[in-house]
């Protein structure tokens, strides 16, 4: 992470895998101010929107090509700075050639006094996320840049600090592992499984097969009624107290603005009762301040040494070439969680419009389709019918179609190949 005040001191920035203006509107505004004062921005992503700021270099590549694209940038940076690529990456870099786009990014990044590499939501949600992370980190090492992840959610960093990760103080499984290996029981905390999990279709299937599912939830929803044996009403953040830690590591505590409704209780109190009933250690918190102090001590700014961004993986390989149409799924700003999905005013905005399928004009003609057509999109998991829009800012051979929405959830995962035909 990096303090927001430091954004104004960066001269060169490379953002990898982000729908930046909608994913991080406040940070985008700071970057925009810095660009006016001379910051140069480069971006690698499979599709672009108008970010309302000037991007010096855009690399627009299909999801399956992003690893190779980063390898080309590493190779170009090493050449520009007369350095050797770390041996983990040398085989991968030997398989790619520097092109004009990667050279332009490398020259831009190497020409500034202070540079930064940021990973966005799309990079984190990508099926090659670990490789993308490690490759971006190598670019940062070669350039002596700062390297950070622009947290996916308001409290991603808080969850990380609390050890809600599989590699925390208590070793565990990640969400994909919990769902792919059938487990006897699940507790869902504030999750609507069809919309809040990357592959909602298979998540719902796994949950249906479990012996017991308990859901701590603010809202009643059909998907929870379908999978859960019990719904325990919890208060939304507006009706309880707690702490968010943002992506610069700043802790911000909040207090309820109104009493919690009916029988609902703060989520941490419900977990405390369950933990105590199961006779587990570490559930004896008396107040929300006790919870906060356990995680953060009494500091307002988190010591950045607790937020390691470094990642080591042992196997690097170019993903296999894909001949079919690849789906690119962003999660629009008002599809992102159960609260915004139920806000009347937010759902009345353009950002909450039902998803359209977006493809380049070239691909639309190649498939014998026309903009405005209704198209049927099929994946391994299922199919959906949506309206087709021409969008030449989508990578060649790809289809951009948002996730996190009832109209598209039956396609299953956010990645992979799809077929497109007239509906």
């Amino acid at each position: 992470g990096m303090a927001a005040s430091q954004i104004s001191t960066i001269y060169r920035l490379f953002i990898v895998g982000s729908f930046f203006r909608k994913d991080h509107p406040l940070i985008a505004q700071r970057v925009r101010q810095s660009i006016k004062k001379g910051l140069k921005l480069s971006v690698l992503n499979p599709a672009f929107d108008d970010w309302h700021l000037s991007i010096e270099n855009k690399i627009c590549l299909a999801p399956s090509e992003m690893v190779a694209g980063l390898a080309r940038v590493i190779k170009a940076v090493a050449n520009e700075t007369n350095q050797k690529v770390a041996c983990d990456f040398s085989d991968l870099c030997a398989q790619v050639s520097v092109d004009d786009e990667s050279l332009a990014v490398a020259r831009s990044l190497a020409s500034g006094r202070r540079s930064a590499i940021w990973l966005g939501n799309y990079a984190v949600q990508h099926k090659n996320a670990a490789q993308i992370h490690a490759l971006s980190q190598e670019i940062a090492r070669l350039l002596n840049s700062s390297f950070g992840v622009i947290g996916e959610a308001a409290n991603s960093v808080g969850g990380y600090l609390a050890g809600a990760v599989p590699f925390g103080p208590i070793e565990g499984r990640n969400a994909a592992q919990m769902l792919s290996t059938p487990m006897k029981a699940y507790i869902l905390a504030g999750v609507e499984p069809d919309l809040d999990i990357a592959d909602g279709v298979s998540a719902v299937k796994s949950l249906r097969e479990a012996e017991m599912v308990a859901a701590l939830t603010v809202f009643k929803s059909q998907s929870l009624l379908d999978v859960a044996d019990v719904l325990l009403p919890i208060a939304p953040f507006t009706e309880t107290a707690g702490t968010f830690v943002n992506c610069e590591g700043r802790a911000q505590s909040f207090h309820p603005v109104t009493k919690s409704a009916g029988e609902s209780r703060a989520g941490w109190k419900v977990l405390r009762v369950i933990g105590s009933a199961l006779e587990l250690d570490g559930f004896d918190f008396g107040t929300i301040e006790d919870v906060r102090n356990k995680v953060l001590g009494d500091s307002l700014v988190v010591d950045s040494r607790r937020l390691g961004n470094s990642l080591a993986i042992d196997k690097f390989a170019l993903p296999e070439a894909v001949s079919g149409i690849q789906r690119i799924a962003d999660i629009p700003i008002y599809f992102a969680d159960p609260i915004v999905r139920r806000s009347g005013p937010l759902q009345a905005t353009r950002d909450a419009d039902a998803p359209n399928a977006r493809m380049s004009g070239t691909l639309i003609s190649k498939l014998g389709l026309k903009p405005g057509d209704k198209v049927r999109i099929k994946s391994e998991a299922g199919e959906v019918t949506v309206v087709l829009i021409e969008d030449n800012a989508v990578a060649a051979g790809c289809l951009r179609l948002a996730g996190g929405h009832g109209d598209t959830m039956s396609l299953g995962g956010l990645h992979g190949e799809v077929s497109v035909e007239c509906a």
Side-chain angles (χ1 to χ4, degrees):
M2 109 171 335
S5 57
Q6 288 176 286
I7 293 176
S8 60
T9 66
I10 305 170
Y11 291 89
R12 302 291 180 261
L13 175 59
F14 185 29
I15 296 179
V16 178
S18 180
F19 291 89
F20 186 52
R21 180 168 163 256
K22 294 297 180 183
D23 291 346
H24 307 285
L26 298 176
I27 301 174
Q29 181 52 26
R30 299 216 173 201
V31 168
R32 185 167 174 245
Q33 298 309 320
S34 294
I35 288 174
K36 289 181 180 169
K37 297 182 186 134
L39 178 142
K40 298 274 193 274
L41 172 63
S42 300
V43 184
L44 167 65
N45 207 47
F48 285 84
D49 297 306
D50 182 359
W51 287 9
H52 292 234
L53 44 77
S54 64
I55 301 176
E56 192 188 33
N57 302 297
K58 282 183 188 177
I59 301 181
C60 185
L61 289 173
S64 65
E65 301 288 324
M66 287 174 68
V67 166
L70 287 167
R72 289 193 286 270
V73 174
I74 289 179
K75 197 168 184 170
V77 167
N79 293 345
E80 283 299 297
T81 56
N82 295 318
Q83 294 180 83
K84 264 197 144 66
V85 172
C87 57
D88 286 359
F89 305 95
S90 51
D91 284 359
L92 191 65
C93 290
Q95 297 172 54
V96 298
S97 319
V98 173
D99 58 8
D100 292 347
E101 288 184 328
S102 50
L103 185 61
V105 169
R107 286 194 170 146
S108 173
L109 292 173
S111 68
R113 281 171 288 175
R114 188 152 181 259
S115 56
I117 319 288
W118 293 352
L119 292 181
N121 295 6
Y122 189 80
V124 171
Q125 292 158 2
H126 195 288
K127 60 172 183 267
N128 306 123
Q131 292 205 54
I132 287 172
H133 186 129
L135 290 160
S136 303
Q137 187 178 296
E138 173 65 359
I139 297 170
R141 184 192 71 83
L142 288 165
L143 290 161
N144 201 16
S145 301
S146 58
F147 173 68
V149 178
I150 329 172
E152 262 185 293
N155 201 24
S156 298
V157 176
Y160 189 109
L161 290 167
V165 284
F167 48 84
I170 301 168
E171 286 275 313
R173 297 186 169 123
N174 66 33
Q177 291 163 333
M178 290 182 209
L179 290 162
S180 60
T181 317
M183 299 181 82
K184 203 162 149 184
Y186 293 89
I187 293 180
L188 302 175
V191 172
E192 294 183 302
D194 52 339
L195 296 172
D196 289 321
I197 296 175
D199 186 347
V201 174
S202 63
V204 166
K205 201 162 155 279
S206 301
L207 293 167
R208 279 211 177 109
E209 287 163 10
E211 280 178 44
M212 163 74 188
V213 175
L216 281 59
T217 181
V218 176
F219 304 105
K220 194 159 83 170
S221 80
Q222 196 50 54
S223 71
L224 287 175
L225 293 169
D226 288 347
V227 300
D229 297 279
V230 59
L231 302 185
L232 299 171
I234 58 168
F237 75 95
T238 48
E239 295 170 14
T240 180
T243 303
F244 286 110
V245 183
N246 71 8
C247 66
E248 61 171 338
R250 189 178 296 274
Q252 293 164 307
S253 289
F254 57 91
H255 302 284
V257 290
T258 178
K259 275 201 168 63
S260 60
E263 306 251 297
S264 66
R265 296 284 182 274
W268 70 273
K269 290 184 176 176
V270 179
L271 291 170
R272 179 183 64 186
V273 172
I274 294 173
S276 305
L278 294 169
E279 298 180 357
L280 296 172
D281 284 344
F283 279 84
D284 46 359
F285 296 105
T287 66
I288 192 69
E289 283 70 36
D290 296 342
V291 178
R292 180 201 153 99
N293 292 338
K294 167 89 172 151
V295 178
L296 294 176
D298 49 15
S299 161
L300 270 183
V301 179
V302 175
D303 176 356
S304 64
R305 283 171 306 206
R306 291 183 60 192
L307 289 175
N309 285 324
S310 70
L311 173 81
I313 57 176
D314 38 13
K315 184 101 183 72
F316 289 92
L318 287 182
E320 284 175 28
V322 177
S323 53
I325 297 170
Q326 294 177 53
R327 179 176 177 201
I328 298 161
D330 53 316
I331 307 294
I333 187 169
Y334 301 141
F335 297 5
D337 70 53
I339 292 182
V340 297
R341 290 196 289 263
R342 286 171 175 78
S343 160
L346 297 183
Q347 292 305 316
T349 64
R350 205 168 71 193
D351 277 310
D353 285 351
N356 293 315
R358 311 179 78 88
M359 296 191 296
S360 70
T362 312
L363 184 56
I364 291 176
S365 340
K366 190 175 144 191
L367 295 170
L369 299 166
K370 295 187 306 299
D373 282 352
K374 277 204 149 164
V375 289
R376 188 177 295 116
I377 297 166
K378 293 182 185 169
S379 69
E380 281 179 1
E383 61 176 62
V384 301
T385 301
V386 287
V387 174
L388 181 61
I389 303 274
E390 180 175 341
D391 183 345
N392 292 312
V394 175
C398 294
L399 162 93
R400 178 176 171 185
L401 180 63
H405 193 279
D407 286 6
T408 58
M409 70 192 188
S410 53
L411 288 175
L414 301 174
H415 303 281
E417 285 185 60
V418 291
S419 67
V420 183
E421 59 191 48
C422 215

